Amino acid sequence: MASWIEIKEDSDFSLRNLPYGVFSTDGPKPPRIGIAIGDHVLDMSVLAADGVFDDIGFDVKTITGETTLNSYAAQGKDVHSKVRKRLQDLLEKETKLGSLLRDNQGRRARALVPMNSVKMHLPMAIGDYTDFFIGLHHAVICADVIKPGAKIEQLCPCFYNLPVAYNGRASSVVVSGTPFHRPRGQVPVENGQIVSGPCRKLDFEVEFACFIGKGNAFGQEIKVDQAEEHIFGFVLMNDWSARDIQFYEAPMMGPFNGKSFCTSVSPWVVPLDALEPFRTLPSETPMKRLLADYLTGKKTKSAYNIPIKATLEANSERYDIATCNTNNVIFSFPQMLAHHTRGGCPLRPGDLVATGTLSGPTKAESGCFFEQTRGGKEPYELKALKMGKGSVQRGFLEDNDTVEFRAQVSLGDGLGNVGFGVCGGKVLPAL
């Protein structure tokens, strides 16, 4: 799996990965589809226009004539796997297809774009966005913060038996690096009065999400054992949350303005095939579960073991927030899709489906300030990543704070990493 393209040892983008994204460069060309490889972006439209994929058997216009990944994602997992294999054959050091790219200087110059010269865009046009609540430790800790001594099954009786979710706001999902203004809304104050103004308890949430590739027809459910055929790939996600707005409005009908102002995703969509070696079991639950047949699949290792590191940048210094993991869930993505479509709900290419916060059992593994600070009552000390640079305290996010998530996994054999790039965003003052 070594490539003739130089790939740094710490790169997210080895031949094992080959994630999809949408990028643009200076000039008249519109945004187009690319593959991340080392410090370069491989322009898929160049390869498709030159006939590199003609024998694979799919509509290459989904690559050459599109500014999002939706149409290509809808081609299905079989096509994606064949394209991935072709790309690996093109990029491997010892390859029979080297003449198509490595040895073709003209095509090589047109197809390989330095990553530091591109602008990344939202990879898919998102029609719908669903955020689940399947993190065991997040649920348990939040239940105790909201009502000390309470169990999650008292606040949400069905939590262990089905994947709970709410439908989010797709129009405010943005690509990593997009700043946003502190939201405004109605918030309660200590004297029992209600004020309308800037959020005072702005938070982040470490999440993992998938983009839907092939959809399902209206009224037709997706079976749990076929659900992975409908997943195009995965991204890191920050479900920014206005806690004071959220908890004032949510008890009757669930999240609304407290969640609708911004959601950030990483720009590179990592395919299922790249994550295959990192499968694991979902978390065990502390009590007996009553799972319906439609949620019981044949594949037991249906979650992933991927650590996600969250950092905060303030006053030109970076601080460690937490390290979470994608295996801190009690349901898998196939179970989420099976439940999502059980009543006949149609999913479409580009729909975004997320896990909810991926906290672990300790404070250092908590994926939001709400947990770490017990709802803002106990400010949390963040240590600088550089030795000797001190620390800062946070109850919730302050203006001009930047939060970034990173995740990278490897088999440890020296043949490259699988990573997602950065999922980040900066908090600007309220308008």
Side-chain angles (χ1 to χ4, degrees):
M1 294 293 289
S3 175
W4 51 265
I5 294 177
E6 182 181 357
I7 300 176
K8 297 175 183 176
E9 188 176 344
D10 62 349
S11 173
D12 278 349
F13 307 123
S14 70
L15 273 179
R16 275 199 169 125
N17 194 352
L18 301 182
Y20 295 93
V22 173
F23 75 101
S24 62
T25 51
D26 291 338
K29 283 188 176 182
R32 51 206 186 272
I33 295 171
I35 295 285
I37 179 71
D39 291 332
H40 290 81
V41 178
L42 182 60
D43 190 333
M44 293 285 281
S45 66
V46 172
L47 301 183
D50 287 358
V52 173
F53 305 120
D54 281 357
D55 61 330
I56 289 178
F58 74 103
D59 185 0
V60 295
K61 290 181 181 178
T62 60
I63 289 179
T64 57
E66 300 287 339
T67 58
T68 71
L69 284 159
N70 292 55
S71 294
Y72 174 69
Q75 296 291 303
K77 192 172 183 291
D78 183 56
V79 167
H80 305 151
S81 295
K82 290 178 180 178
V83 170
R84 172 181 170 82
K85 180 63 168 61
R86 176 60 49 83
L87 291 170
Q88 288 177 331
D89 288 343
L90 287 172
L91 295 167
E92 277 188 88
K93 183 175 289 185
E94 305 296 334
T95 174
K96 296 178 181 179
L97 296 179
S99 60
L100 291 178
L101 186 60
R102 181 191 61 208
D103 302 331
N104 188 319
Q105 295 299 320
R107 180 180 294 149
R108 181 173 168 175
R110 288 183 291 117
L112 283 173
V113 183
M115 193 172 287
N116 60 11
S117 69
V118 307
K119 176 183 178 182
M120 299 304 298
H121 300 267
L122 197 64
M124 304 193 79
I126 304 170
D128 283 294
Y129 153 48
T130 305
D131 197 16
F132 280 83
F133 183 70
I134 58 172
L136 175 63
H137 304 292
H138 176 62
V140 169
I141 296 170
C142 285
D144 189 60
V145 174
I146 294 169
K147 190 175 181 181
K151 304 292 185 182
I152 183 60
E153 57 268 25
Q154 293 174 296
L155 300 184
C156 184
C158 61
F159 174 75
Y160 293 108
N161 299 327
L162 59 83
V164 180
Y166 73 92
N167 289 310
R169 182 68 186 174
S171 63
S172 54
V173 179
V174 298
V175 72
S176 173
T178 305
F180 67 96
H181 290 276
R182 180 179 295 271
R184 301 170 67 88
Q186 286 196 37
V187 297
V189 292
E190 292 181 0
N191 61 5
Q193 299 298 308
I194 301 300
V195 299
S196 176
C199 161
R200 302 179 184 186
K201 296 182 178 181
L202 185 61
D203 206 354
F204 68 94
E205 287 190 350
V206 177
E207 301 199 22
F208 194 48
C210 79
F211 277 114
I212 298 299
K214 184 173 64 175
N216 61 301
F218 175 69
Q220 180 181 353
E221 65 181 307
I222 295 175
K223 300 296 185 182
V224 66
D225 287 321
Q226 282 77 53
E228 289 188 354
E229 299 296 321
H230 297 264
I231 296 175
F232 177 56
F234 297 92
V235 291
L236 306 180
M237 194 182 96
N238 188 341
D239 180 30
W240 305 93
S241 302
R243 298 301 189 192
D244 43 2
I245 299 172
Q246 175 189 356
F247 286 112
Y248 181 61
E249 70 183 5
M252 288 296 292
M253 293 292 290
F256 188 53
N257 283 337
K259 292 278 191 176
S260 66
F261 56 93
C262 185
T263 301
S264 301
V265 296
S266 51
W268 296 105
V269 185
V270 175
L272 269 79
D273 288 344
L275 297 183
E276 190 67 26
F278 309 103
R279 286 183 178 274
T280 189
L281 298 170
S283 297
E284 294 185 0
T285 59
M287 61 181 293
K288 185 177 179 180
R289 307 174 72 178
L290 302 173
L291 292 185
D293 289 344
Y294 74 92
L295 291 174
T296 305
K298 296 178 182 177
K299 188 174 290 186
T300 56
K301 290 188 176 182
S302 53
Y304 298 96
N305 180 15
I306 304 172
I308 302 177
K309 188 174 183 62
T311 61
L312 179 142
E313 182 176 329
N315 301 319
S316 301
E317 194 62 58
R318 286 181 63 202
Y319 302 88
D320 180 40
I321 300 178
T323 299
C324 305
N325 198 298
T326 59
N327 64 13
N328 290 321
V329 293
I330 61 172
F331 291 99
S332 66
F333 278 98
Q335 289 173 312
M336 286 188 272
L337 298 194
H339 183 63
H340 202 319
T341 61
R342 179 62 171 169
C345 172
L347 301 180
R348 296 172 292 189
D351 283 358
L352 183 66
V353 178
T355 57
T357 308
L358 295 166
S359 300
T362 69
K363 184 173 286 192
E365 300 170 274
S366 294
C368 62
F369 278 145
F370 182 78
E371 293 179 54
Q372 291 179 330
T373 68
R374 302 289 299 181
K377 297 176 182 177
E378 303 172 5
Y380 188 52
E381 185 175 6
L382 308 178
K383 295 182 179 180
L385 293 176
K386 291 183 180 179
M387 295 294 291
K389 289 292 184 177
S391 62
V392 296
Q393 282 194 339
R394 285 291 185 274
F396 287 102
L397 292 168
E398 298 181 2
D399 290 347
N400 299 310
D401 281 351
T402 296
V403 176
E404 293 183 341
F405 302 159
R406 290 174 173 83
Q408 186 183 91
V409 283
S410 172
L411 293 178
D413 54 10
L415 295 182
N417 310 311
V418 176
F420 296 77
V422 178
C423 176
K426 182 176 182 177
V427 180
L428 302 178
L431 292 172

